[in-house]
């Protein structure tokens, strides 16, 4: 929409093709099943002990995030912050006082994201795609940058083209957001199994 006027922009996207969607989903199911069975089966109990030893609260942090077609889903992560009332409203910053010691290590190594392999297996996410944001941020970013919602044409990913090109973590300014969206759209328009 430009103001209140709907605008149609025609573009070809590889994931419009049913065959490509089946290939991507098959890869996601097989890969996530392998990780769940051979890695998370022993890693979850180990991380759970470390989280519980340092702070009270649940092992997992579950938050509504924006998915494909802007449908919300329950995104699962290892809890890396102290339990707090700002978890669904305040973006985590690099030196955030809410981060636990174990959480700092998990965030630095991305271990906190590994439970999202369950989201991939369940079909809420893909291995690669635009990173999902919390609902409040989706609404805010869509107001800042009109192309932002294009990234919701596909499933969100555990990792994404923007992330591997350096646009990850806290969104510090509008230019950072714009570059992240540009890389996400490039991925959507140029998807192939090599980019999975």
């Amino acid at each position: 929409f430009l103001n209140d006027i709907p605008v149609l922009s025609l573009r070809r996207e590889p994931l419009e093709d049913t065959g490509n969607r089946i290939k991507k989903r098959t890869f996601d199911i097989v890969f996530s099943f392998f990780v769940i069975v051979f890695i998370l089966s022993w890693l979850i109990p180990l991380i759970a002990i470390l989280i519980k030893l340092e702070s009270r609260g649940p092992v997992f942090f579950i938050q509504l995030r924006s998915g494909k077609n802007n449908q919300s889903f329950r995104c699962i992560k290892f809890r890396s912050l102290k339990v707090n009332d700002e978890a669904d409203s305040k973006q985590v910053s690099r030196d955030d006082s809410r981060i636990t010691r174990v959480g700092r290590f998990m965030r630095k190594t991305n271990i906190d994201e590994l439970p999202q392999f369950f989201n991939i297996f369940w079909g809420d996410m893909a291995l690669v795609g635009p990173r999902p944001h919390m609902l409040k941020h989706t609404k805010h970013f869509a107001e800042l940058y009109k192309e932002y919602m294009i990234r919701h044409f596909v499933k969100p990913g555990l990792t994404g083209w923007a992330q591997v090109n350096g646009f990850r973590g806290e969104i510090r300014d509008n230019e950072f957001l714009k570059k992240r969206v540009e890389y996400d759209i490039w991925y959507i328009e140029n998807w192939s199994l090599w980019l999975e």
Side-chain angles (χ1 to χ4, degrees):
F1 284 86
L2 289 175
N3 296 323
D4 293 326
I5 303 168
V7 177
L8 294 177
S9 176
L10 301 178
R11 67 174 88 211
R12 282 202 47 75
E13 294 167 5
L15 289 172
E16 289 175 334
D17 178 74
T18 303
N20 285 341
R21 287 199 308 271
I22 290 171
K23 289 176 195 171
K24 183 172 174 62
R25 181 69 187 130
T26 301
F27 181 86
D28 286 343
I29 290 170
V30 171
F31 193 86
S32 60
F33 179 78
F34 178 86
V35 171
I36 290 167
V37 171
F38 295 105
I39 298 174
L40 292 181
S41 59
W42 59 266
L43 185 64
I44 286 175
L46 179 64
I47 297 295
I49 291 168
L50 295 175
I51 290 171
K52 286 291 192 181
L53 284 174
E54 185 174 8
S55 62
R56 292 183 178 183
V59 170
F60 297 107
F61 174 66
I62 299 173
Q63 184 180 60
L64 286 177
R65 297 279 178 103
S66 302
K68 184 178 179 181
N69 298 323
N70 203 26
Q71 296 296 308
S72 62
F73 71 98
R74 293 163 52 90
C75 184
I76 183 170
K77 300 175 68 173
F78 284 123
R79 181 175 59 83
S80 59
L81 307 181
K82 299 168 190 164
V83 175
N84 66 91
D85 295 330
E86 298 177 307
D88 290 322
S89 59
K90 184 179 176 186
Q91 194 175 23
V92 179
S93 58
R94 179 169 292 186
D95 297 317
D96 202 309
S97 61
R98 299 173 296 167
I99 303 175
T100 63
R101 283 177 301 172
V102 172
R104 194 165 301 286
F105 170 75
M106 288 194 298
R107 294 176 79 86
K108 190 172 185 179
T109 57
N110 294 317
I111 288 173
D112 62 319
E113 309 283 0
L114 290 180
Q116 288 168 37
F117 277 104
F118 288 105
N119 287 118
I120 295 170
F121 189 75
W122 297 328
D124 299 320
M125 293 177 65
L127 183 62
V128 181
R131 285 293 295 151
H133 294 136
M134 64 175 105
L135 304 185
K136 177 184 175 182
H137 287 156
T138 296
K139 185 174 184 297
H140 176 65
F141 296 153
E143 291 169 357
L144 288 176
Y145 190 56
K146 66 179 186 287
E147 282 87 4
Y148 177 82
M149 295 307 290
I150 295 172
R151 33 187 332 272
H152 294 88
F153 289 174
V154 297
K155 288 180 184 178
L158 176 68
T159 188
W161 190 241
Q163 278 62 41
V164 299
N165 282 283
F167 296 97
R168 63 189 301 273
E170 180 186 9
I171 294 178
R172 298 178 292 275
D173 55 46
N174 290 355
E175 188 59 29
F176 190 88
L177 172 64
K178 182 180 176 187
K179 294 303 285 185
R180 179 181 283 188
V181 172
E182 286 174 2
Y183 276 93
D184 287 336
I185 293 173
W186 185 92
Y187 169 80
I188 292 169
E189 293 178 341
N190 294 277
W191 179 87
S192 71
L193 271 179
W194 295 106
L195 288 172
E196 178 27 18

